[in-house]
Amino acid sequence: MAQKMKAAIFVEKGRIVLDEKPIPEIGPLDALIRITTTTICGTDVHILKGEYPVAKGLTIGHEPVGIIEKLGSGVKGLKEGQRVIAGAITPSGWSTACLCGCGAQDGAGTKHGFKAMGGWRFGNTIDGAQAEYLCVPDAMANLAPIDEGVTDEQVLMCPDIMSTGLSGAETGQIRIGDCVAVFAQGPIGLCATAGAKLMGATKIIAVDTFPARLDMARRMGADVVVDYRAENPVDAIMRITDGRGVDVAIEALGTQTTFEAALRVLRPGGVLSSLGVYSSDLTIPLDAFSAGLGDKSIRTTLCPGGKERMRRMQDVISSGRVDLSGLVTHRFKLDQIEEAYDLFANQRDGVLKVAITP
Amino acid sequence: MAQKMKAAIFVEKGRIVLDEKPIPEIGPLDALIRITTTTICGTDVHILKGEYPVAKGLTIGHEPVGIIEKLGSGVKGLKEGQRVIAGAITPSGWSTACLCGCGAQDGAGTKHGFKAMGGWRFGNTIDGAQAEYLCVPDAMANLAPIDEGVTDEQVLMCPDIMSTGLSGAETGQIRIGDCVAVFAQGPIGLCATAGAKLMGATKIIAVDTFPARLDMARRMGADVVVDYRAENPVDAIMRITDGRGVDVAIEALGTQTTFEAALRVLRPGGVLSSLGVYSSDLTIPLDAFSAGLGDKSIRTTLCPGGKERMRRMQDVISSGRVDLSGLVTHRFKLDQIEEAYDLFANQRDGVLKVAITP
Amino acid sequence: MAQKMKAAIFVEKGRIVLDEKPIPEIGPLDALIRITTTTICGTDVHILKGEYPVAKGLTIGHEPVGIIEKLGSGVKGLKEGQRVIAGAITPSGWSTACLCGCGAQDGAGTKHGFKAMGGWRFGNTIDGAQAEYLCVPDAMANLAPIDEGVTDEQVLMCPDIMSTGLSGAETGQIRIGDCVAVFAQGPIGLCATAGAKLMGATKIIAVDTFPARLDMARRMGADVVVDYRAENPVDAIMRITDGRGVDVAIEALGTQTTFEAALRVLRPGGVLSSLGVYSSDLTIPLDAFSAGLGDKSIRTTLCPGGKERMRRMQDVISSGRVDLSGLVTHRFKLDQIEEAYDLFANQRDGVLKVAITP
Amino acid sequence: MAQKMKAAIFVEKGRIVLDEKPIPEIGPLDALIRITTTTICGTDVHILKGEYPVAKGLTIGHEPVGIIEKLGSGVKGLKEGQRVIAGAITPSGWSTACLCGCGAQDGAGTKHGFKAMGGWRFGNTIDGAQAEYLCVPDAMANLAPIDEGVTDEQVLMCPDIMSTGLSGAETGQIRIGDCVAVFAQGPIGLCATAGAKLMGATKIIAVDTFPARLDMARRMGADVVVDYRAENPVDAIMRITDGRGVDVAIEALGTQTTFEAALRVLRPGGVLSSLGVYSSDLTIPLDAFSAGLGDKSIRTTLCPGGKERMRRMQDVISSGRVDLSGLVTHRFKLDQIEEAYDLFANQRDGVLKVAITP
C-alpha cells in the first residue's frame, strides 16, 4: 500500500485544504523530491478563487525547494540526497518548443510541440509543491543543485518570482543607460525592479501605493518611486522624464489600468514588457499606440524555467547582486497552510511572500 | 519673384487639388529635387478623407523619384543632375532617435530627440512629393542615387510600400523554416509577403479576397492563399498549419478584424508584426493573448527610411530577388492627379499603385 | 547471441573497412534506426587520413536517413516504422549547453554541461550511420519524421551539409540587401551560398575554381563567381564591390588562405562566419584586423542539430526554396562503401556527395 | 590675423610638445569648444612613440570636456555657453556606416560610407582636444550637454575610457548570471569590469598584477582578482570556474598573450570581446579555437561615440551606478602637459588617468 503524505489540495472554488494523498510514484525520467520549503504564489490565489481552473483534487504550488529522495531509472547526473530547486515551469528539454528556445511554452505531449503555458505543470496540470513530496518530471532538465551554505529561504524566490521578475527586464532588452518604469511592486514587480538595475538601467521608476512596497522598491534599485494614489502615474512619469517617456515599461500586475499606463509612458520605439496575468480583454488606446506607427512593442513573458535558469538565479543571489531576503515576511508550517492562504490571499499584515515548511 | 510649380495640395476634407505654389527654397542641409515620378499612398487617401489631419495648403505625397536640381551649401557627397530617391521617412541622422537606431521616430527638433512618427515629414509636416519640385531635408542622410539603367517605375515602390512591407518581415524576425501569415494583400501586404520569402520563410499564407491580389500574392511568394470570404481565415490557417499556428503573423491593413485574427493564429511564442495604420482603439482578446502568458509579442514598425535603406531596397530590385513591376497598374500625368486620386481612393479597376509623372 | 549487421569501421589511419558488428542495443531514451540511405562527409575523410582521431573499431558516419526499428522504453511521441532523419549533431535537450541555446556543444555527461563539439556523437564518440543499423541517443530530441512523398535523397543533405551551410548565413546574421562572399564551393560552401540567398543577400560572390562547382554555385544563388586561379579573390571581390568590401564573408574550407581572404574582404563592422574545420593555428594579420579597431567579428558554428532543426531543413527542401538534388553525384551500395571512400576522398569524377544505401 | 591658442602637437616620433596654433575656424556644421578639462589616452602614447602614425603638426587628444564658444551657421538645438562633452569618436550621423548602426567606422567622406576607424577623427585625422580650443565636426550628432552640478572630472572618462570599456561588456552580450573574465585592469579594463557588473554578470574575474589596479578592480565589481605573476591566469580561471570556463572574456590590453588567454578560458559557445589595440599579427591556436568547431566568437569594438552614447555614459555616472572618480590619479595644467606625458607614458607613480586643465 502506497505511503501517505500531506498536501494542499484544490477542492472547489474558495477551498484549498490540507489533506492526505499517496506519495507520488515516479517514472524513468522523474525525480521524487522531499519538499523542505515552498511558498504560495498570487497565481495560487487565482486558483483558490476559481479564477484559474484546475482539476479538483490537484495538489497546488509550483515553487519547490527540497532534497532528492529518489531518482527515475533513466536519470543521470543527479544523486539522491542532493539539495535542489526546480523552476515553476518545467521544460522537457526535448520538445520542439524547447528546441526553438521557447521552453515555457513546451507542448511536449502535443502534436506540434507547442502549447500555451505548456511548460507550467506543477500545480496546474500535475500535482504541485505544497506537499511533503513532489514528483519532478524531466528531472535532468529541471533540477538545479543548491550551493552549500545557502539556506532554503535564500533560494525560495528563484523558481518563480525572481525568474519571472528578472525576465521582465530581459524581455524588455534593457540597455545600459535606459530609463525604465515598473508598474506595481508586489513580489514580481520588485524583482523586475531588481532586474532593471541588474541590466544597467540608470533611471528606474517604481509605481505602487503601499509605503512598505515603495520602500522595498528603493532597496531593489528604484531611483524614484511614484505613489499612484498621490499622483496619476502617467503624469508623474512624464514629469520625471521631462516629457521624454521611458525606454522600457514593465507591467507586473495584470490590469487594464497598469497595461494602459505602461503603454502611455513609453517613448516612441519603446518596449512594454508585460508580466501580469490578465483576467479580461485588454484595450490598446489608439493614441497611446500612435495608431500603430510608433515603433512600439508589447512583449509578454512566462516565467523561464529549467536547471540552467535556476543556476543563474541562484548565482545572482549568492553573488550578492540582489538581496531578496526581505521578501519573506511570514513563515508557516505546512500544517498551517490554510492559515497562510488566508493571510496571503487577503494581503494582510504587509505580507509579501510566505515560507512554508513541512 | 519666386518661380512657380504645380503641386497637389490638401485644401479641406475631401479635396486635394492641383494648384500652383512657389518652387521651394532650400536651406544649407537640403536638396531641391525635380520630381520625375511619384505615386499615391493609402495614407494620402486617409488625408484626403480627413481621417489623418494635415495643414491646409500642404503639398501631399511622400514617395519621390527625381533629379537633384540644387544642393544646399553644406551638402557634401552628392551632385546636381544625379537621379535619386528618398524614403518616405527622412531621418536626420543626428537626432537622439537616430543615434538610438530608431530613425523613423526622429524628433530632431524636439527636446529629447524622439517624436512619434517624427521621421515622417513629406506630405505630413512639410511639403511633399506630388509636385514638380521637392525640398528634401537632411539630404546627406536621405538621398540615394539610382543605378544606371534602372527606370523610375522600378524604384517607385522603394520609398514607402516596399520598405514598409519588408520591414514587416524584418521586425517579425523571420527565420529560415518559419511559417508566416500575411493579412491583406494590398501593396504593403504584397511586399510583406515578398519580404517573408526573402528572409527564408518556408510556408507563407496570404489572406485577401480579390482574385487579382491573391494571384499577385502567389507571384510574391505565397505558398497558400486564403480568401477570407470563402473561409474564416483563422480556421483556414489553423487547418493549413495542422493546428500549430504560425511563427509570425503580419498585419497589413489596420483593422480590429485583421489584428485579432493575426493574434489568434500565432503559435505560443510567436510574433505579431503590425504594419497597419489603425483608426480606432484595438482590443486584445484574453484568450488570443493566453492571458499574457503565451510569450507572444506585438511589434509595430513605421517605414524605415534613409539613404542606406533606399540602397538596400534598390538592390533587392536590381538583383532580381523581388519583382514589383506588376504593382504599378495605372499611369497618370501630374495634371491628371485628381483623377488618379479618384481612381485610387475608390479602388476601381483593380488598381494596386499608380505612377504619376510631372 | 546478438544479431549482426554490416558497418564501415575505422581500423587505423588510412583504413575504413566494411565489417560485421552486432546490431546496437538501445537504452530507455534511444531509438534503433534501420538505415535506408547515408553519405560520406569530408570530416569522415579527415578521420580516414588520421587527421581527426577516433577510437579504433568505431562505426563512421553522421548523416542518417532511415526507419525506426525499435524505441527505448522511455521514448514518447514516435512510433516504430516511421521514416526519420537525425542531425549529425545530437543534442540531448536537457544539458546545460542546450538550455543555454548552444546544443552543438552539449556536454551532457560532463560536470558543467558544456563540451567542445560534445554534441557531435555519431561516428565520433559513438557508433555512426554508415551501417545497417544505428542507435540514436536522446531520440525524442533528435528524430524528425520525413514527410510523405519525399525521397531519401531529397533529405540526405539535411543532417549535416545543409544545416551547417545554412548556419553560416544565419550566424553571419545576413540582412536583406547585404553583400556576401562565400569562400569555397564544396557541398558546405554551396549550401552557405544557398543560405545567403535564402536570407535576402542581394549580391552573393562565390569563390572556387572548379567549373562544375562554380556552375552549381550560380544555381544555388551566387550572383557572381570568382575563380581564384584566374584572379586573386581578394582583389576580385574588392573590384566587384567597388572597393566597399562585403557585409558578411563565409569561410567554408578550413585553411589559412581562405580565412585570411575572408577577413580582408570584410567591410569595417562586417562578420566573418567560419564553417571550416581547421587543421593548424590561424594567423590574423594586423592590417586585415584593423589592429582590433574595425568592429569586425569572427564567429564559428558547428552544425546545428535536433529534430526542430531537421524539420526546418526539410521544409526548405519541400517548399522548393532550395534544390539540393544536384549535390548527389554518385550512388553506391553499402557493400561498395570502400570504393565510395576512394572516389570521395580523392575527389574524382567531379564528385560532390555520394548516396550510400544498405 | 587669427587668434592663437596653446596646443599639444605631435612633432616627430618621441616628441609631443606644447606650442601655439591658430584657434580653429569652424564650418556650418561644426562647433568651437573651449576646453576646460581633457586627458591623455594610451593611444596618445602610441602616437608619441611613433607606433601609430599621425600627421606632423597635428594637435593630439580625443577626450574633450568644455564650453561651447561658437556654433556653425547650420547647427540647431545647441547654444553657446553650454557645458558639453563629445565622444572620442565623432560619427557624422548621415554616413552609410551610421545608418547601418556602425558609426565608429564612419567613412562619411568616402565613396561607400565605411572606413576602418573612420569615426575617430580628434587627434587622428583632425586636430584634437589637448588644446585651449577644439573644433567639433557634426556638432549636432556629437555634443552632449553636461548636467548641472556635475564636475568636469566626473565626466572626463565618458568620451573614451568608459564608452570603450562598457562596450566590451555590451559587445560580449553579457547576460544575467554570466561568468566573465577581464584581461588587464588599466583604465579601459577597469571600465570593462564595471560594465560586466552593470550588465548582470555574477562572477567577474579580473586579471592584472599591480596591487593598486587589482584593488580598483574589486571596487569596480570584480568578484575575484588574479595576479598573473602569481599564477598562470588560464589555470587560475579554469580553477576558479571549476573547469567550466567563462561565458565572456574581455581583452583590454592588445597583446598576443592576453588575446590567447582570453580565447583559452572561454567555454564552448563563449564570446571573446576584444578592446585592445594590437601592434602585431595575432595567432589563434588551433586547440583554443576547437579547430573552428567550438561555436566561439571573437568580436572587436571601437569606442562608440555620438551624443546619445555620451548621454548614457553620463547617466551611469550621475545615477551612481559606477563611480570612476578614483581613476583620475594626477592633475596637470595644460602648460605642464609634456610632464604629464612623461609620467603617463612611463606609468610612474601608480598613475591611472591624468586630468589636464588649460
Side-chain angles (χ1 to χ4, degrees):
Chain A
M1 210 189 97
Q3 279 188 291
K4 297 282 186 168
M5 67 170 188
K6 291 179 192 161
I9 290 165
F10 175 74
V11 177
E12 62 185 2
K13 183 176 164 174
R15 286 186 64 212
I16 288 175
V17 303
L18 193 69
D19 205 347
E20 287 215 326
K21 288 181 83 154
I23 292 176
E25 310 251 318
I26 62 171
L29 294 180
D30 303 337
L32 184 70
I33 303 302
R34 178 163 60 78
I35 296 295
T36 52
T37 307
T38 187
T39 180
I40 300 173
C41 179
T43 310
D44 299 333
V45 175
H46 285 296
I47 291 172
L48 173 66
K49 295 184 177 170
E51 294 164 358
Y52 184 91
V54 300
K56 292 185 179 182
L58 190 80
T59 305
I60 303 306
H62 49 261
E63 293 160 283
V65 183
I67 294 167
I68 299 177
E69 184 81 13
K70 195 177 166 190
L71 292 168
S73 57
V75 177
K76 293 170 280 188
L78 293 162
K79 56 178 191 287
E80 290 167 13
Q82 268 185 304
R83 289 179 65 218
V84 291
I85 56 171
I89 304 298
T90 47
S92 66
W94 52 266
S95 71
T96 293
C98 288
L99 295 167
C100 265
C102 191
Q105 310 296 328
D106 185 325
T110 66
K111 186 172 184 184
H112 293 295
F114 283 99
K115 190 182 170 195
M117 290 176 271
W120 175 28
R121 296 189 270 183
F122 290 142
N124 180 28
T125 59
I126 64 173
D127 278 331
Q130 291 166 11
E132 288 176 295
Y133 293 92
L134 171 72
C135 171
V136 177
D138 296 303
M140 292 187 290
N142 286 293
L143 288 180
I146 300 173
D147 286 342
E148 265 185 69
V150 173
T151 67
D152 279 19
E153 276 197 16
Q154 283 178 293
V155 297
L156 182 58
M157 299 300 112
C158 297
D160 185 351
I161 294 309
M162 183 184 181
S163 181
T164 299
L166 265 55
S167 78
E170 294 166 308
T171 299
Q173 298 182 338
I174 290 173
R175 294 190 296 163
I176 291 174
D178 270 359
C179 179
V180 176
V182 184
F183 287 85
Q185 296 294 309
I188 285 180
L190 288 166
C191 289
T193 297
K197 180 165 183 198
L198 208 45
M199 291 185 73
T202 47
K203 183 171 278 181
I204 303 171
I205 306 165
V207 182
D208 207 296
T209 192
F210 299 103
R213 295 189 171 207
L214 293 175
D215 283 352
M216 186 68 82
R218 279 196 201 88
R219 283 172 51 189
M220 291 294 128
D223 299 280
V224 192
V225 299
V226 170
D227 177 350
Y228 66 77
R229 297 204 187 185
E231 183 177 7
N232 177 300
V234 173
D235 296 343
I237 291 168
M238 295 315 281
R239 178 178 50 72
I240 291 163
T241 62
D242 213 5
R244 176 185 180 276
V246 301
D247 298 287
V248 179
I250 303 179
E251 201 287 340
L253 187 61
T255 67
Q256 172 66 29
T257 304
T258 45
F259 174 83
E260 184 172 332
L263 198 58
R264 287 191 182 285
V265 300
L266 276 187
R267 68 156 172 83
V271 177
L272 193 176
S273 179
S274 167
L275 299 175
V277 184
Y278 299 95
S279 51
S280 61
D281 293 354
L282 288 169
T283 297
I284 300 178
L286 185 66
D287 61 334
F289 203 46
S290 310
L293 301 175
D295 283 304
K296 290 186 177 182
S297 295
I298 299 166
R299 302 180 188 167
T300 68
T301 318
L302 179 60
C303 178
K307 69 180 172 189
E308 166 65 1
R309 180 71 178 175
M310 291 303 105
R311 193 276 301 164
R312 287 180 183 264
M313 294 303 104
Q314 290 190 76
D315 280 4
V316 170
I317 298 292
S318 61
S319 66
R321 297 295 194 268
V322 173
D323 175 9
L324 299 179
S325 60
L327 290 190
V328 175
T329 52
H330 296 74
R331 290 161 187 84
F332 294 89
K333 289 284 162 192
L334 181 57
D335 287 340
Q336 305 167 296
I337 194 163
E338 296 175 27
E339 187 183 329
Y341 263 100
D342 188 56
L343 174 92
F344 187 74
N346 294 292
Q347 291 289 304
R348 280 206 306 267
D349 195 22
V351 63
L352 282 167
K353 289 286 281 185
V354 302
I356 310 281
T357 49
Chain B
M1 209 186 102
Q3 280 188 291
K4 297 281 185 169
M5 66 171 189
K6 291 180 192 163
I9 289 164
F10 176 74
V11 177
E12 61 185 1
K13 183 175 165 174
R15 286 187 63 211
I16 289 176
V17 302
L18 192 69
D19 205 347
E20 287 216 326
K21 288 182 83 155
I23 292 176
E25 310 251 317
I26 62 171
L29 293 180
D30 303 337
L32 184 69
I33 303 302
R34 179 162 60 78
I35 296 295
T36 52
T37 307
T38 188
T39 179
I40 300 173
C41 179
T43 310
D44 299 333
V45 175
H46 284 297
I47 292 171
L48 173 66
K49 294 185 177 170
E51 294 164 359
Y52 184 91
V54 300
K56 292 186 178 182
L58 189 80
T59 304
I60 303 306
H62 49 262
E63 294 161 283
V65 183
I67 294 167
I68 299 177
E69 184 81 12
K70 196 177 166 189
L71 292 169
S73 57
V75 177
K76 292 171 282 187
L78 293 162
K79 55 177 190 288
E80 292 167 11
Q82 268 185 305
R83 289 179 66 218
V84 290
I85 56 172
I89 304 299
T90 48
S92 67
W94 52 265
S95 71
T96 294
C98 289
L99 296 167
C100 264
C102 191
Q105 309 297 329
D106 185 325
T110 65
K111 186 170 183 183
H112 293 296
F114 283 99
K115 190 181 170 196
M117 291 175 271
W120 175 27
R121 296 189 268 182
F122 291 143
N124 180 29
T125 59
I126 64 173
D127 279 330
Q130 292 166 10
E132 288 176 294
Y133 293 92
L134 172 71
C135 172
V136 177
D138 296 303
M140 291 187 291
N142 286 294
L143 288 181
I146 301 172
D147 286 342
E148 266 186 67
V150 173
T151 67
D152 278 19
E153 276 197 16
Q154 283 180 293
V155 297
L156 182 58
M157 299 300 111
C158 296
D160 185 351
I161 294 307
M162 183 183 182
S163 181
T164 300
L166 265 55
S167 78
E170 294 166 309
T171 300
Q173 299 182 337
I174 290 173
R175 295 189 296 162
I176 292 175
D178 270 359
C179 179
V180 176
V182 185
F183 287 85
Q185 296 293 310
I188 285 180
L190 288 166
C191 289
T193 298
K197 181 165 183 198
L198 208 48
M199 290 185 74
T202 48
K203 183 171 278 180
I204 303 171
I205 306 165
V207 181
D208 207 298
T209 192
F210 299 104
R213 296 189 172 207
L214 293 175
D215 283 352
M216 186 68 81
R218 280 198 199 87
R219 284 172 51 191
M220 291 294 128
D223 298 280
V224 192
V225 299
V226 169
D227 177 349
Y228 65 79
R229 297 203 186 185
E231 183 176 9
N232 178 300
V234 173
D235 296 343
I237 291 168
M238 295 315 281
R239 179 177 49 73
I240 292 163
T241 62
D242 213 6
R244 176 186 181 277
V246 301
D247 298 287
V248 179
I250 303 179
E251 200 287 339
L253 187 61
T255 68
Q256 172 67 29
T257 304
T258 46
F259 174 83
E260 183 172 333
L263 198 58
R264 287 191 183 285
V265 299
L266 275 187
R267 67 158 171 82
V271 177
L272 192 177
S273 179
S274 168
L275 299 175
V277 184
Y278 300 96
S279 51
S280 61
D281 293 355
L282 289 168
T283 297
I284 300 179
L286 185 66
D287 61 335
F289 203 47
S290 309
L293 301 175
D295 283 304
K296 291 186 176 182
S297 294
I298 299 167
R299 302 180 190 168
T300 68
T301 318
L302 179 59
C303 177
K307 68 180 173 189
E308 166 64 1
R309 180 70 178 174
M310 290 302 106
R311 194 276 301 164
R312 287 179 184 265
M313 294 303 104
Q314 290 191 74
D315 280 5
V316 170
I317 298 291
S318 61
S319 66
R321 296 296 194 270
V322 172
D323 175 9
L324 299 178
S325 60
L327 289 190
V328 175
T329 51
H330 295 74
R331 290 163 186 83
F332 294 89
K333 289 284 164 193
L334 182 58
D335 287 339
Q336 304 166 295
I337 195 163
E338 295 175 29
E339 186 183 331
Y341 263 99
D342 188 54
L343 174 92
F344 187 75
N346 293 293
Q347 290 290 302
R348 282 203 306 267
D349 196 22
V351 64
L352 282 168
K353 288 287 281 186
V354 302
I356 310 281
T357 49
Chain C
M1 212 187 97
Q3 279 189 290
K4 296 281 186 171
M5 67 169 187
K6 291 181 193 161
I9 289 165
F10 175 75
V11 177
E12 61 185 1
K13 182 175 165 176
R15 287 186 63 210
I16 288 175
V17 303
L18 192 70
D19 205 347
E20 287 216 325
K21 288 183 84 156
I23 292 176
E25 310 249 318
I26 62 169
L29 293 181
D30 303 337
L32 183 70
I33 303 303
R34 179 163 60 78
I35 297 295
T36 52
T37 307
T38 187
T39 180
I40 300 174
C41 180
T43 309
D44 298 335
V45 175
H46 284 297
I47 292 171
L48 173 66
K49 295 185 177 170
E51 294 164 359
Y52 185 92
V54 300
K56 293 183 180 185
L58 190 80
T59 304
I60 304 306
H62 49 262
E63 294 160 282
V65 183
I67 293 168
I68 299 177
E69 185 80 14
K70 194 176 166 190
L71 292 169
S73 57
V75 178
K76 293 170 279 187
L78 293 161
K79 56 177 189 288
E80 291 167 11
Q82 268 185 304
R83 289 179 65 219
V84 290
I85 56 172
I89 304 299
T90 47
S92 67
W94 52 266
S95 71
T96 293
C98 289
L99 295 167
C100 264
C102 190
Q105 310 296 329
D106 184 325
T110 66
K111 186 170 182 184
H112 293 295
F114 283 99
K115 191 182 170 196
M117 289 175 272
W120 175 27
R121 296 190 268 182
F122 290 142
N124 179 29
T125 59
I126 64 173
D127 279 330
Q130 293 167 9
E132 288 176 294
Y133 293 92
L134 171 73
C135 172
V136 177
D138 296 305
M140 291 186 291
N142 286 294
L143 289 180
I146 301 172
D147 286 342
E148 264 186 69
V150 174
T151 67
D152 278 19
E153 276 196 18
Q154 283 179 293
V155 297
L156 182 58
M157 300 300 112
C158 296
D160 185 351
I161 294 309
M162 184 183 180
S163 181
T164 299
L166 265 55
S167 78
E170 293 166 310
T171 299
Q173 298 182 339
I174 290 173
R175 294 188 297 162
I176 291 175
D178 270 359
C179 178
V180 176
V182 184
F183 287 85
Q185 296 295 309
I188 285 180
L190 288 166
C191 288
T193 298
K197 181 165 182 196
L198 209 46
M199 290 185 74
T202 48
K203 182 172 281 181
I204 303 171
I205 306 166
V207 182
D208 208 297
T209 191
F210 299 104
R213 295 190 172 205
L214 293 175
D215 282 352
M216 186 68 82
R218 279 197 199 87
R219 284 171 52 189
M220 290 296 129
D223 298 280
V224 191
V225 300
V226 170
D227 177 350
Y228 65 78
R229 298 203 187 186
E231 183 176 8
N232 176 300
V234 173
D235 296 343
I237 291 167
M238 294 315 282
R239 179 177 49 72
I240 290 162
T241 62
D242 214 6
R244 177 186 180 275
V246 302
D247 298 287
V248 178
I250 303 179
E251 201 287 340
L253 187 61
T255 68
Q256 173 66 30
T257 304
T258 45
F259 175 82
E260 184 173 331
L263 198 57
R264 287 192 183 285
V265 300
L266 275 187
R267 68 158 171 82
V271 178
L272 192 175
S273 179
S274 168
L275 299 175
V277 184
Y278 300 96
S279 50
S280 60
D281 293 354
L282 288 168
T283 297
I284 300 179
L286 185 67
D287 61 334
F289 203 46
S290 310
L293 301 175
D295 283 304
K296 291 186 175 182
S297 294
I298 299 167
R299 301 180 189 168
T300 68
T301 318
L302 179 60
C303 177
K307 69 181 172 187
E308 166 64 1
R309 180 71 179 174
M310 291 302 105
R311 194 274 302 162
R312 287 180 183 264
M313 294 302 103
Q314 291 190 76
D315 280 3
V316 170
I317 298 291
S318 61
S319 66
R321 295 296 194 270
V322 173
D323 175 9
L324 298 179
S325 59
L327 289 190
V328 176
T329 51
H330 295 73
R331 289 161 187 85
F332 295 89
K333 288 284 163 193
L334 181 58
D335 287 339
Q336 304 166 296
I337 195 164
E338 296 175 29
E339 187 184 328
Y341 263 99
D342 188 55
L343 174 93
F344 188 73
N346 293 291
Q347 290 289 303
R348 282 206 305 268
D349 196 21
V351 64
L352 283 168
K353 289 287 280 186
V354 302
I356 310 281
T357 49
Chain D
M1 212 186 97
Q3 280 189 290
K4 297 281 185 169
M5 67 170 187
K6 291 180 193 161
I9 290 166
F10 175 73
V11 177
E12 61 185 1
K13 183 176 164 174
R15 287 186 62 210
I16 288 175
V17 303
L18 192 71
D19 205 347
E20 287 217 326
K21 286 181 84 155
I23 292 176
E25 310 251 317
I26 61 170
L29 294 181
D30 303 337
L32 184 69
I33 304 302
R34 180 162 59 78
I35 296 295
T36 52
T37 307
T38 187
T39 181
I40 300 174
C41 179
T43 310
D44 299 334
V45 175
H46 284 296
I47 291 172
L48 173 66
K49 295 184 177 171
E51 294 164 358
Y52 185 92
V54 300
K56 291 185 179 184
L58 190 81
T59 304
I60 303 305
H62 49 261
E63 294 160 282
V65 184
I67 294 167
I68 299 177
E69 184 82 12
K70 196 175 166 191
L71 292 169
S73 57
V75 177
K76 293 171 279 188
L78 293 162
K79 56 177 190 287
E80 291 167 10
Q82 268 184 306
R83 288 180 67 219
V84 290
I85 56 170
I89 304 299
T90 46
S92 66
W94 51 267
S95 71
T96 294
C98 288
L99 295 168
C100 265
C102 191
Q105 309 296 329
D106 184 324
T110 66
K111 187 170 182 183
H112 293 296
F114 283 99
K115 191 181 170 196
M117 291 174 272
W120 175 27
R121 296 190 268 182
F122 291 142
N124 180 28
T125 59
I126 65 173
D127 278 331
Q130 292 166 10
E132 289 176 293
Y133 292 92
L134 172 72
C135 172
V136 177
D138 296 304
M140 291 187 291
N142 286 293
L143 289 180
I146 301 172
D147 286 342
E148 265 185 70
V150 174
T151 67
D152 278 19
E153 277 197 17
Q154 284 178 294
V155 296
L156 182 58
M157 299 300 112
C158 296
D160 185 350
I161 294 309
M162 183 183 181
S163 181
T164 299
L166 265 55
S167 78
E170 294 166 309
T171 299
Q173 298 182 339
I174 291 173
R175 295 190 296 163
I176 292 174
D178 270 358
C179 179
V180 176
V182 184
F183 287 85
Q185 296 294 309
I188 285 179
L190 288 165
C191 289
T193 298
K197 180 164 184 197
L198 208 46
M199 290 184 74
T202 48
K203 183 171 280 181
I204 302 171
I205 307 166
V207 182
D208 207 297
T209 191
F210 299 105
R213 294 189 173 206
L214 294 174
D215 282 352
M216 186 69 81
R218 279 196 200 88
R219 285 171 51 190
M220 290 296 128
D223 298 281
V224 191
V225 299
V226 170
D227 177 350
Y228 65 78
R229 298 204 185 184
E231 183 177 8
N232 176 299
V234 173
D235 295 344
I237 291 168
M238 295 315 281
R239 179 178 49 74
I240 291 163
T241 62
D242 213 7
R244 177 187 180 276
V246 301
D247 298 287
V248 179
I250 303 179
E251 200 286 341
L253 187 60
T255 68
Q256 172 67 27
T257 304
T258 46
F259 175 82
E260 185 173 331
L263 199 57
R264 287 192 184 283
V265 300
L266 276 187
R267 67 157 171 82
V271 178
L272 193 176
S273 180
S274 168
L275 298 176
V277 185
Y278 299 96
S279 50
S280 60
D281 293 354
L282 289 169
T283 298
I284 300 178
L286 185 67
D287 61 334
F289 203 47
S290 309
L293 300 176
D295 284 304
K296 291 186 175 181
S297 294
I298 299 167
R299 301 180 189 167
T300 68
T301 318
L302 178 60
C303 176
K307 70 180 172 189
E308 166 65 2
R309 180 70 178 174
M310 291 302 106
R311 194 277 301 165
R312 287 180 183 264
M313 294 303 103
Q314 290 190 75
D315 280 4
V316 170
I317 298 291
S318 62
S319 67
R321 296 297 195 268
V322 173
D323 174 9
L324 299 179
S325 59
L327 289 190
V328 176
T329 52
H330 295 74
R331 289 162 187 84
F332 295 88
K333 288 285 161 191
L334 181 57
D335 287 339
Q336 304 165 295
I337 195 164
E338 297 175 28
E339 187 183 330
Y341 264 99
D342 188 55
L343 174 92
F344 188 73
N346 294 292
Q347 291 288 304
R348 281 205 305 268
D349 195 23
V351 64
L352 282 169
K353 288 288 280 186
V354 302
I356 310 281
T357 48

